[in-house]
Amino acid sequence: MLSLKNKELAPIINFLSKVELSPKASRCRSKLVKKLLEKHAELKEDLEVIIDKFGKRDENDKIIQLEDGNVEFSDDRKEEGIKEQQILLEEEVSINLDEIKDKVKFLVSKLDKIDTKLSGYDAEIYDIIMDKLEEEI
């Protein structure tokens, strides 16, 4: 079982999606990203529940969205909302890789040899995903 924190899902999906790979490795990546997207969809649903519970509302009881698309928590429950959101983002999720284990091995071997310089955030995400996937193979 691949174990990740909820907050790691989107950065890993984004990183894997932009890495240039051979067609065979790309197919393997697509299978892994599909599984990650399923967990990310669950995370989005859980975040919607928190937003519905703690989001600031207008006079028509609709959640107010900021210009950047984010939602502000209501003043009287802001700390509680932020705490619940942080707990959710730190929560570990497990992803069963049994049916794609051979593909993951192949993908790891190709990711290990990508001819791209990484720095900063990309380097951190690469390190996280490689550590996690190497534990699985």
Side-chain angles (χ1 to χ4, degrees), residues 23-56:
K24 185 175 179 181
S26 181
R27 282 192 68 227
C28 298
R29 169 199 32 217
S30 295
K31 302 233 183 271
L32 175 59
V33 168
K34 182 179 178 185
K35 289 190 169 288
L36 295 171
L37 285 169
E38 289 170 7
K39 290 297 182 180
H40 191 261
E42 291 175 22
L43 170 63
K44 284 173 61 175
E45 288 175 15
D46 292 342
L47 284 171
E48 285 296 323
V49 170
I50 292 172
I51 288 168
D52 192 53
K53 187 174 177 181
F54 298 104
K56 191 180 272 189

mmCIF file of all heavy atoms in Angstrom, residues 23-56:
data_model
loop_
_atom_site.group_PDB
_atom_site.id
_atom_site.type_symbol
_atom_site.label_atom_id
_atom_site.label_comp_id
_atom_site.label_asym_id
_atom_site.label_seq_id
_atom_site.Cartn_x
_atom_site.Cartn_y
_atom_site.Cartn_z
ATOM 1 N N PRO A 23 6.791 6.435 -24.148
ATOM 2 C CA PRO A 23 5.388 5.988 -24.179
ATOM 3 C C PRO A 23 5.057 4.898 -23.152
ATOM 4 O O PRO A 23 4.031 4.974 -22.479
ATOM 5 C CB PRO A 23 5.214 5.475 -25.611
ATOM 6 C CG PRO A 23 6.186 6.302 -26.399
ATOM 7 C CD PRO A 23 7.367 6.475 -25.496
ATOM 8 N N LYS A 24 5.909 3.898 -23.021
ATOM 9 C CA LYS A 24 5.619 2.810 -22.072
ATOM 10 C C LYS A 24 5.623 3.330 -20.625
ATOM 11 O O LYS A 24 4.725 3.011 -19.842
ATOM 12 C CB LYS A 24 6.638 1.680 -22.232
ATOM 13 C CG LYS A 24 6.325 0.485 -21.357
ATOM 14 C CD LYS A 24 7.278 -0.669 -21.618
ATOM 15 C CE LYS A 24 6.945 -1.837 -20.697
ATOM 16 N NZ LYS A 24 7.829 -2.966 -20.888
ATOM 17 N N ALA A 25 6.610 4.136 -20.288
ATOM 18 C CA ALA A 25 6.673 4.710 -18.938
ATOM 19 C C ALA A 25 5.501 5.655 -18.705
ATOM 20 O O ALA A 25 4.956 5.725 -17.602
ATOM 21 C CB ALA A 25 8.004 5.429 -18.728
ATOM 22 N N SER A 26 5.105 6.359 -19.749
ATOM 23 C CA SER A 26 3.973 7.282 -19.637
ATOM 24 C C SER A 26 2.680 6.526 -19.330
ATOM 25 O O SER A 26 1.850 6.990 -18.544
ATOM 26 C CB SER A 26 3.829 8.078 -20.930
ATOM 27 O OG SER A 26 2.764 8.982 -20.820
ATOM 28 N N ARG A 27 2.501 5.355 -19.942
ATOM 29 C CA ARG A 27 1.326 4.526 -19.640
ATOM 30 C C ARG A 27 1.330 4.111 -18.172
ATOM 31 O O ARG A 27 0.296 4.120 -17.507
ATOM 32 C CB ARG A 27 1.308 3.273 -20.520
ATOM 33 C CG ARG A 27 0.826 3.542 -21.922
ATOM 34 C CD ARG A 27 0.526 2.269 -22.685
ATOM 35 N NE ARG A 27 -0.620 1.597 -22.111
ATOM 36 C CZ ARG A 27 -0.657 0.294 -21.835
ATOM 37 N NH1 ARG A 27 0.362 -0.480 -22.065
ATOM 38 N NH2 ARG A 27 -1.746 -0.241 -21.327
ATOM 39 N N CYS A 28 2.494 3.759 -17.664
ATOM 40 C CA CYS A 28 2.608 3.361 -16.256
ATOM 41 C C CYS A 28 2.274 4.537 -15.353
ATOM 42 O O CYS A 28 1.551 4.389 -14.362
ATOM 43 C CB CYS A 28 4.024 2.864 -15.965
ATOM 44 S SG CYS A 28 4.483 1.410 -16.914
ATOM 45 N N ARG A 29 2.797 5.705 -15.714
ATOM 46 C CA ARG A 29 2.508 6.910 -14.946
ATOM 47 C C ARG A 29 1.010 7.182 -14.949
ATOM 48 O O ARG A 29 0.429 7.518 -13.914
ATOM 49 C CB ARG A 29 3.252 8.094 -15.542
ATOM 50 C CG ARG A 29 2.781 9.401 -14.941
ATOM 51 C CD ARG A 29 3.059 10.661 -15.686
ATOM 52 N NE ARG A 29 3.073 10.563 -17.105
ATOM 53 C CZ ARG A 29 3.919 11.251 -17.863
ATOM 54 N NH1 ARG A 29 4.802 12.043 -17.323
ATOM 55 N NH2 ARG A 29 3.859 11.136 -19.166
ATOM 56 N N SER A 30 0.373 7.039 -16.092
ATOM 57 C CA SER A 30 -1.064 7.315 -16.205
ATOM 58 C C SER A 30 -1.877 6.420 -15.273
ATOM 59 O O SER A 30 -2.845 6.876 -14.664
ATOM 60 C CB SER A 30 -1.536 7.125 -17.642
ATOM 61 O OG SER A 30 -0.929 8.083 -18.475
ATOM 62 N N LYS A 31 -1.486 5.175 -15.164
ATOM 63 C CA LYS A 31 -2.194 4.243 -14.266
ATOM 64 C C LYS A 31 -2.029 4.677 -12.806
ATOM 65 O O LYS A 31 -2.976 4.621 -12.020
ATOM 66 C CB LYS A 31 -1.679 2.829 -14.465
ATOM 67 C CG LYS A 31 -1.830 2.350 -15.902
ATOM 68 C CD LYS A 31 -2.543 1.055 -15.971
ATOM 69 C CE LYS A 31 -2.636 0.534 -17.386
ATOM 70 N NZ LYS A 31 -3.787 0.972 -18.094
ATOM 71 N N LEU A 32 -0.831 5.111 -12.443
ATOM 72 C CA LEU A 32 -0.585 5.581 -11.076
ATOM 73 C C LEU A 32 -1.347 6.886 -10.822
ATOM 74 O O LEU A 32 -2.008 7.034 -9.787
ATOM 75 C CB LEU A 32 0.912 5.784 -10.840
ATOM 76 C CG LEU A 32 1.306 6.383 -9.497
ATOM 77 C CD1 LEU A 32 0.824 5.514 -8.335
ATOM 78 C CD2 LEU A 32 2.815 6.592 -9.431
ATOM 79 N N VAL A 33 -1.268 7.821 -11.753
ATOM 80 C CA VAL A 33 -1.950 9.106 -11.586
ATOM 81 C C VAL A 33 -3.457 8.892 -11.456
ATOM 82 O O VAL A 33 -4.116 9.567 -10.654
ATOM 83 C CB VAL A 33 -1.607 10.081 -12.739
ATOM 84 C CG1 VAL A 33 -2.526 11.283 -12.744
ATOM 85 C CG2 VAL A 33 -0.142 10.528 -12.620
ATOM 86 N N LYS A 34 -4.010 7.945 -12.182
ATOM 87 C CA LYS A 34 -5.441 7.650 -12.079
ATOM 88 C C LYS A 34 -5.808 7.263 -10.650
ATOM 89 O O LYS A 34 -6.809 7.729 -10.100
ATOM 90 C CB LYS A 34 -5.823 6.530 -13.051
ATOM 91 C CG LYS A 34 -7.288 6.205 -13.049
ATOM 92 C CD LYS A 34 -7.614 5.113 -14.043
ATOM 93 C CE LYS A 34 -9.095 4.764 -13.987
ATOM 94 N NZ LYS A 34 -9.429 3.641 -14.848
ATOM 95 N N LYS A 35 -4.995 6.428 -10.034
ATOM 96 C CA LYS A 35 -5.248 6.020 -8.640
ATOM 97 C C LYS A 35 -5.112 7.216 -7.693
ATOM 98 O O LYS A 35 -5.888 7.365 -6.749
ATOM 99 C CB LYS A 35 -4.305 4.900 -8.231
ATOM 100 C CG LYS A 35 -4.647 3.579 -8.917
ATOM 101 C CD LYS A 35 -3.862 2.448 -8.333
ATOM 102 C CE LYS A 35 -4.377 1.115 -8.802
ATOM 103 N NZ LYS A 35 -5.653 0.725 -8.242
ATOM 104 N N LEU A 36 -4.114 8.065 -7.938
ATOM 105 C CA LEU A 36 -3.924 9.257 -7.108
ATOM 106 C C LEU A 36 -5.103 10.214 -7.259
ATOM 107 O O LEU A 36 -5.555 10.819 -6.278
ATOM 108 C CB LEU A 36 -2.613 9.963 -7.474
ATOM 109 C CG LEU A 36 -1.323 9.191 -7.201
ATOM 110 C CD1 LEU A 36 -0.133 9.908 -7.807
ATOM 111 C CD2 LEU A 36 -1.113 8.966 -5.715
ATOM 112 N N LEU A 37 -5.603 10.346 -8.476
ATOM 113 C CA LEU A 37 -6.750 11.236 -8.719
ATOM 114 C C LEU A 37 -8.009 10.769 -7.997
ATOM 115 O O LEU A 37 -8.817 11.591 -7.556
ATOM 116 C CB LEU A 37 -7.010 11.369 -10.220
ATOM 117 C CG LEU A 37 -6.026 12.261 -10.981
ATOM 118 C CD1 LEU A 37 -6.226 12.111 -12.486
ATOM 119 C CD2 LEU A 37 -6.163 13.707 -10.556
ATOM 120 N N GLU A 38 -8.175 9.464 -7.869
ATOM 121 C CA GLU A 38 -9.324 8.943 -7.123
ATOM 122 C C GLU A 38 -9.265 9.407 -5.666
ATOM 123 O O GLU A 38 -10.273 9.830 -5.095
ATOM 124 C CB GLU A 38 -9.346 7.417 -7.196
ATOM 125 C CG GLU A 38 -9.707 6.870 -8.560
ATOM 126 C CD GLU A 38 -9.490 5.366 -8.691
ATOM 127 O OE1 GLU A 38 -9.175 4.696 -7.677
ATOM 128 O OE2 GLU A 38 -9.639 4.848 -9.820
ATOM 129 N N LYS A 39 -8.091 9.327 -5.069
ATOM 130 C CA LYS A 39 -7.934 9.780 -3.677
ATOM 131 C C LYS A 39 -8.078 11.294 -3.581
ATOM 132 O O LYS A 39 -8.623 11.815 -2.611
ATOM 133 C CB LYS A 39 -6.579 9.344 -3.109
ATOM 134 C CG LYS A 39 -6.467 7.854 -2.880
ATOM 135 C CD LYS A 39 -7.475 7.388 -1.839
ATOM 136 C CE LYS A 39 -7.349 5.904 -1.573
ATOM 137 N NZ LYS A 39 -8.295 5.429 -0.582
ATOM 138 N N HIS A 40 -7.592 11.993 -4.602
ATOM 139 C CA HIS A 40 -7.709 13.456 -4.602
ATOM 140 C C HIS A 40 -9.174 13.881 -4.694
ATOM 141 O O HIS A 40 -9.583 14.860 -4.059
ATOM 142 C CB HIS A 40 -6.891 14.061 -5.753
ATOM 143 C CG HIS A 40 -6.764 15.532 -5.663
ATOM 144 N ND1 HIS A 40 -7.554 16.379 -6.385
ATOM 145 C CD2 HIS A 40 -5.944 16.315 -4.909
ATOM 146 C CE1 HIS A 40 -7.243 17.625 -6.094
ATOM 147 N NE2 HIS A 40 -6.268 17.606 -5.199
ATOM 148 N N ALA A 41 -9.972 13.150 -5.445
ATOM 149 C CA ALA A 41 -11.414 13.437 -5.542
ATOM 150 C C ALA A 41 -12.079 13.276 -4.169
ATOM 151 O O ALA A 41 -12.930 14.086 -3.786
ATOM 152 C CB ALA A 41 -12.070 12.539 -6.578
ATOM 153 N N GLU A 42 -11.687 12.239 -3.444
ATOM 154 C CA GLU A 42 -12.212 12.038 -2.085
ATOM 155 C C GLU A 42 -11.810 13.208 -1.185
ATOM 156 O O GLU A 42 -12.620 13.700 -0.383
ATOM 157 C CB GLU A 42 -11.683 10.734 -1.486
ATOM 158 C CG GLU A 42 -12.236 9.489 -2.143
ATOM 159 C CD GLU A 42 -11.585 8.215 -1.609
ATOM 160 O OE1 GLU A 42 -11.040 8.228 -0.489
ATOM 161 O OE2 GLU A 42 -11.616 7.194 -2.327
ATOM 162 N N LEU A 43 -10.570 13.658 -1.317
ATOM 163 C CA LEU A 43 -10.097 14.803 -0.527
ATOM 164 C C LEU A 43 -10.933 16.042 -0.837
ATOM 165 O O LEU A 43 -11.344 16.766 0.082
ATOM 166 C CB LEU A 43 -8.613 15.067 -0.809
ATOM 167 C CG LEU A 43 -8.034 16.371 -0.257
ATOM 168 C CD1 LEU A 43 -8.104 16.397 1.263
ATOM 169 C CD2 LEU A 43 -6.603 16.570 -0.744
ATOM 170 N N LYS A 44 -11.192 16.294 -2.118
ATOM 171 C CA LYS A 44 -11.985 17.464 -2.499
ATOM 172 C C LYS A 44 -13.382 17.400 -1.885
ATOM 173 O O LYS A 44 -13.896 18.421 -1.421
ATOM 174 C CB LYS A 44 -12.059 17.584 -4.018
ATOM 175 C CG LYS A 44 -10.769 18.109 -4.634
ATOM 176 C CD LYS A 44 -10.771 18.082 -6.145
ATOM 177 C CE LYS A 44 -11.833 18.927 -6.751
ATOM 178 N NZ LYS A 44 -11.758 18.978 -8.230
ATOM 179 N N GLU A 45 -13.976 16.210 -1.867
ATOM 180 C CA GLU A 45 -15.304 16.059 -1.253
ATOM 181 C C GLU A 45 -15.247 16.385 0.238
ATOM 182 O O GLU A 45 -16.129 17.076 0.765
ATOM 183 C CB GLU A 45 -15.819 14.638 -1.450
ATOM 184 C CG GLU A 45 -16.236 14.312 -2.861
ATOM 185 C CD GLU A 45 -16.620 12.844 -3.033
ATOM 186 O OE1 GLU A 45 -16.837 12.133 -2.033
ATOM 187 O OE2 GLU A 45 -16.701 12.411 -4.205
ATOM 188 N N ASP A 46 -14.214 15.894 0.911
ATOM 189 C CA ASP A 46 -14.065 16.163 2.346
ATOM 190 C C ASP A 46 -13.820 17.647 2.610
ATOM 191 O O ASP A 46 -14.326 18.209 3.592
ATOM 192 C CB ASP A 46 -12.924 15.327 2.937
ATOM 193 C CG ASP A 46 -13.242 13.831 2.950
ATOM 194 O OD1 ASP A 46 -14.429 13.469 2.830
ATOM 195 O OD2 ASP A 46 -12.292 13.032 3.073
ATOM 196 N N LEU A 47 -13.051 18.298 1.734
ATOM 197 C CA LEU A 47 -12.820 19.742 1.884
ATOM 198 C C LEU A 47 -14.107 20.524 1.677
ATOM 199 O O LEU A 47 -14.351 21.522 2.358
ATOM 200 C CB LEU A 47 -11.740 20.218 0.906
ATOM 201 C CG LEU A 47 -10.302 19.864 1.277
ATOM 202 C CD1 LEU A 47 -9.357 20.194 0.128
ATOM 203 C CD2 LEU A 47 -9.859 20.569 2.553
ATOM 204 N N GLU A 48 -14.954 20.059 0.749
ATOM 205 C CA GLU A 48 -16.241 20.717 0.512
ATOM 206 C C GLU A 48 -17.120 20.665 1.764
ATOM 207 O O GLU A 48 -17.830 21.620 2.063
ATOM 208 C CB GLU A 48 -16.976 20.081 -0.673
ATOM 209 C CG GLU A 48 -16.398 20.449 -2.023
ATOM 210 C CD GLU A 48 -16.496 21.927 -2.340
ATOM 211 O OE1 GLU A 48 -17.509 22.565 -1.981
ATOM 212 O OE2 GLU A 48 -15.536 22.448 -2.943
ATOM 213 N N VAL A 49 -17.067 19.557 2.481
ATOM 214 C CA VAL A 49 -17.836 19.424 3.721
ATOM 215 C C VAL A 49 -17.357 20.467 4.735
ATOM 216 O O VAL A 49 -18.162 21.131 5.397
ATOM 217 C CB VAL A 49 -17.723 17.989 4.298
ATOM 218 C CG1 VAL A 49 -18.314 17.908 5.692
ATOM 219 C CG2 VAL A 49 -18.401 16.995 3.367
ATOM 220 N N ILE A 50 -16.041 20.627 4.843
ATOM 221 C CA ILE A 50 -15.475 21.608 5.774
ATOM 222 C C ILE A 50 -15.862 23.020 5.348
ATOM 223 O O ILE A 50 -16.258 23.850 6.182
ATOM 224 C CB ILE A 50 -13.940 21.450 5.866
ATOM 225 C CG1 ILE A 50 -13.609 20.118 6.556
ATOM 226 C CG2 ILE A 50 -13.301 22.626 6.606
ATOM 227 C CD1 ILE A 50 -12.140 19.742 6.539
ATOM 228 N N ILE A 51 -15.783 23.301 4.052
ATOM 229 C CA ILE A 51 -16.159 24.627 3.545
ATOM 230 C C ILE A 51 -17.633 24.893 3.818
ATOM 231 O O ILE A 51 -18.005 25.987 4.248
ATOM 232 C CB ILE A 51 -15.844 24.742 2.033
ATOM 233 C CG1 ILE A 51 -14.335 24.822 1.837
ATOM 234 C CG2 ILE A 51 -16.550 25.934 1.406
ATOM 235 C CD1 ILE A 51 -13.874 24.654 0.401
ATOM 236 N N ASP A 52 -18.463 23.895 3.592
ATOM 237 C CA ASP A 52 -19.895 24.060 3.839
ATOM 238 C C ASP A 52 -20.164 24.335 5.319
ATOM 239 O O ASP A 52 -21.047 25.102 5.674
ATOM 240 C CB ASP A 52 -20.652 22.811 3.381
ATOM 241 C CG ASP A 52 -22.142 23.027 3.347
ATOM 242 O OD1 ASP A 52 -22.585 24.006 2.706
ATOM 243 O OD2 ASP A 52 -22.869 22.223 3.963
ATOM 244 N N LYS A 53 -19.389 23.714 6.175
ATOM 245 C CA LYS A 53 -19.576 23.849 7.623
ATOM 246 C C LYS A 53 -19.024 25.165 8.168
ATOM 247 O O LYS A 53 -19.632 25.779 9.046
ATOM 248 C CB LYS A 53 -18.877 22.668 8.311
ATOM 249 C CG LYS A 53 -19.101 22.556 9.784
ATOM 250 C CD LYS A 53 -18.467 21.266 10.303
ATOM 251 C CE LYS A 53 -18.589 21.119 11.792
ATOM 252 N NZ LYS A 53 -17.941 19.888 12.276
ATOM 253 N N PHE A 54 -17.881 25.619 7.633
ATOM 254 C CA PHE A 54 -17.194 26.768 8.220
ATOM 255 C C PHE A 54 -17.069 27.985 7.310
ATOM 256 O O PHE A 54 -16.585 29.025 7.726
ATOM 257 C CB PHE A 54 -15.779 26.358 8.663
ATOM 258 C CG PHE A 54 -15.766 25.302 9.718
ATOM 259 C CD1 PHE A 54 -15.454 23.991 9.404
ATOM 260 C CD2 PHE A 54 -16.063 25.599 11.043
ATOM 261 C CE1 PHE A 54 -15.431 22.998 10.375
ATOM 262 C CE2 PHE A 54 -16.053 24.625 12.020
ATOM 263 C CZ PHE A 54 -15.737 23.312 11.683
ATOM 264 N N GLY A 55 -17.481 27.871 6.051
ATOM 265 C CA GLY A 55 -17.310 28.968 5.099
ATOM 266 C C GLY A 55 -18.171 30.174 5.409
ATOM 267 O O GLY A 55 -19.289 30.051 5.903
ATOM 268 N N LYS A 56 -17.618 31.330 5.094
ATOM 269 C CA LYS A 56 -18.344 32.589 5.267
ATOM 270 C C LYS A 56 -19.450 32.646 4.217
ATOM 271 O O LYS A 56 -19.241 32.307 3.064
ATOM 272 C CB LYS A 56 -17.393 33.771 5.096
ATOM 273 C CG LYS A 56 -17.983 35.111 5.503
ATOM 274 C CD LYS A 56 -16.989 36.235 5.321
ATOM 275 C CE LYS A 56 -16.171 36.359 6.583
ATOM 276 N NZ LYS A 56 -15.323 37.577 6.562
#
